[in-house]
Amino acid sequence: MADSSFDIVSKVERQEVDNALNQAAKEISQRYDFKGVDASIAWSGERIEMRANSEERVKAVLDIFQSKLIKRGISLKALDTGEPQASGKEYRISASLQEGISQENAKKVAKVIRDEGPKGVKAQVQGDELRVTSKSRDSLQEVISLLKGKDFDFALQYVNFR
């Protein structure tokens, strides 16, 4: 019988992020506490720009956006957020989405699988994803639950289970 496998990836559904951003923008435009503070959130190329006239307000914009991401099932670990920066009379926060598993992060995950996972499970890096193979499907499910129990500083998804 052939080996079973699955891939560990770190991807973000761009449409869901776009929907969360649009919901946040709509809430910001309608909320009473944001009237007259020029608060906004929008795409700026590949980055997300949040603006307001005070540091507290721009942090509140970020908080609204994060809550919308959570409701849409997107991990906040995929959002790389900068510090509020003063720019003239307004404050800005720039955020970007992290996609793909870097080589060093893939090695960390592979080491955890090797050290703590069941015997006979192999993990190999393939570009910006990690393929995990084993003869037993139960072993693969043990690996998934092991990794879900670990707290990595990046988001993981498990796809192509076969």
Side-chain angles (χ1 to χ4, degrees):
M1 185 168 150
D3 287 357
S4 299
S5 69
F6 70 91
D7 295 334
I8 300 172
V9 296
S10 182
K11 291 194 168 115
V12 177
E13 181 111 13
R14 175 114 177 166
Q15 184 62 49
E16 289 296 323
V17 174
D18 204 35
N19 291 343
L21 188 128
N22 291 336
Q23 285 180 335
K26 186 173 182 179
E27 182 173 328
I28 290 163
S29 70
Q30 292 176 345
R31 270 182 43 177
Y32 178 76
D33 57 336
F34 283 111
K35 294 283 187 244
V37 296
D38 296 329
S40 67
I41 181 171
W43 286 104
S44 173
E46 287 295 308
R47 302 185 70 74
I48 300 164
E49 289 284 331
M50 292 159 263
R51 301 174 181 193
N53 66 357
S54 73
E55 190 172 341
E56 294 79 32
R57 288 284 172 229
V58 79
K59 285 182 178 176
V61 170
L62 174 62
D63 189 48
I64 290 171
F65 180 55
Q66 287 175 335
S67 71
K68 299 299 180 192
L69 286 175
I70 290 170
K71 283 183 183 173
R72 294 208 156 262
I74 298 169
S75 173
L76 293 182
K77 292 177 182 176
L79 186 69
D80 184 21
T81 312
E83 289 298 312
Q85 296 174 332
S87 172
K89 291 183 176 179
E90 69 180 6
Y91 284 81
R92 295 180 182 183
I93 294 179
S94 184
S96 63
L97 298 172
Q98 293 178 326
E99 289 196 286
I101 302 174
S102 68
Q103 290 291 324
E104 62 195 45
N105 288 340
K107 287 178 184 173
K108 284 182 197 173
V109 174
K111 183 170 175 21
V112 166
I113 292 170
R114 229 183 6 260
D115 294 347
E116 301 176 34
K119 297 280 184 251
V121 176
K122 297 181 192 78
Q124 64 190 51
V125 179
Q126 295 182 333
D128 61 351
E129 59 186 44
L130 196 68
R131 168 132 323 146
V132 181
T133 58
S134 173
K135 296 234 182 269
S136 161
R137 285 180 169 239
D138 293 340
S139 298
L140 294 178
Q141 290 178 339
E142 283 179 48
V143 169
I144 291 175
S145 59
L146 168 75
L147 294 176
K148 283 184 178 178
K150 296 287 180 190
D151 187 30
F152 295 107
D153 56 348
F154 49 95
L156 295 177
Q157 290 89 32
Y158 311 97
V159 295
N160 297 338
F161 198 95
R162 37 185 138 192

